[in-house]
Amino acid sequence: MSVTAYRRGRTVRTVSASVLAVAALTLTTAFSAGEGTGSRADAAGLGNTAGGSSKGEPIGDCDINKTVFSVQSVERPVNHLLLTATNGAGVDCRLADFPSLRFGDSQAATPQIEESKPQSAPVLTPGESAYAGITTSAADGSGSHGRVVNSLEVFIEGNEDGTDVELPGGSVFVDSSAKVTYWQTDVEDALSW
């Protein structure tokens, strides 16, 4: 083997090793830039959470204009309604706290049942629902200022405007003992208060 061929082979090996080292360093730097903000797939722009938001971004409150509400009467417990909120948006959203309810021409919102507060607010994927139980009147007749109302306006956290929700049968009897639970992920939990 001539000296020239030997030097040429050594030069090729040195250049190849240098190219590999630069490529490895480039990949390490690219992935290191994403450390602390999520996975390496996130750093490369490959990983997203449901709804298209990147990891680490908070999930926003549900938009009242993209949430479908319905109210239905239930057999048990007596004098109760079930309010259902279904996420109609294309992204995950959070239903914080409890729904604020205004029956008829009431000036004040229906009080919440503080003991019904869950560990965390329900996060709804598109099409998923959360529930709130509504006590309309005292079962023993002890409530005062009873009246029949034919409208219900619902307000949710993070939204200034409310939305009208049709009452089952068009009207309901309410009195001073009316109250509402916090949002629950399970129907039975919503109706256990």
Side-chain angles (χ1 to χ4, degrees):
M1 175 188 270
S2 71
V3 174
T4 306
Y6 175 76
R7 286 184 183 159
R8 193 176 292 154
R10 202 167 102 183
T11 303
V12 168
R13 282 192 299 274
T14 304
V15 169
S16 297
S18 297
V19 169
L20 285 174
V22 169
L25 182 59
T26 302
L27 287 173
T28 303
T29 304
F31 285 131
S32 295
E35 285 183 10
T37 61
S39 69
R40 289 187 174 177
D42 288 337
L46 302 174
N48 289 332
T49 59
S53 61
S54 63
K55 286 188 178 183
E57 284 186 31
I59 293 175
D61 290 325
C62 292
D63 182 340
I64 200 159
N65 298 312
K66 296 179 181 175
T67 305
V68 179
F69 296 93
S70 64
V71 178
Q72 66 186 61
S73 55
V74 294
E75 284 187 28
R76 295 192 185 278
V78 296
N79 302 343
H80 274 67
L81 297 173
L82 179 67
L83 175 63
T84 303
T86 304
N87 180 2
V91 297
D92 295 357
C93 67
R94 181 176 64 104
L95 261 180
D97 296 332
F98 51 89
S100 293
L101 308 178
R102 186 166 46 200
F103 282 103
D105 58 359
S106 298
Q107 297 300 312
T110 303
Q112 77 276 10
I113 302 171
E114 205 53 50
E115 297 82 13
S116 69
K117 187 174 185 177
Q119 294 278 333
S120 61
V123 173
L124 305 180
T125 59
E128 192 173 19
S129 299
Y131 311 92
I134 304 169
T135 303
T136 56
S137 58
D140 61 4
S142 62
S144 58
H145 307 296
R147 67 201 187 285
V148 174
V149 296
N150 57 15
S151 65
L152 171 63
E153 191 172 11
V154 176
F155 297 82
I156 58 174
E157 188 69 28
N159 295 258
E160 290 182 17
D161 298 325
T163 187
D164 292 324
V165 179
E166 187 175 339
L167 290 167
S171 64
V172 67
F173 180 82
V174 296
D175 66 21
S176 62
S177 60
K179 52 192 175 245
V180 63
T181 68
Y182 279 74
W183 290 111
Q184 310 290 327
T185 55
D186 184 74
V187 172
E188 289 181 16
D189 290 340
L191 295 175
S192 65
W193 299 95

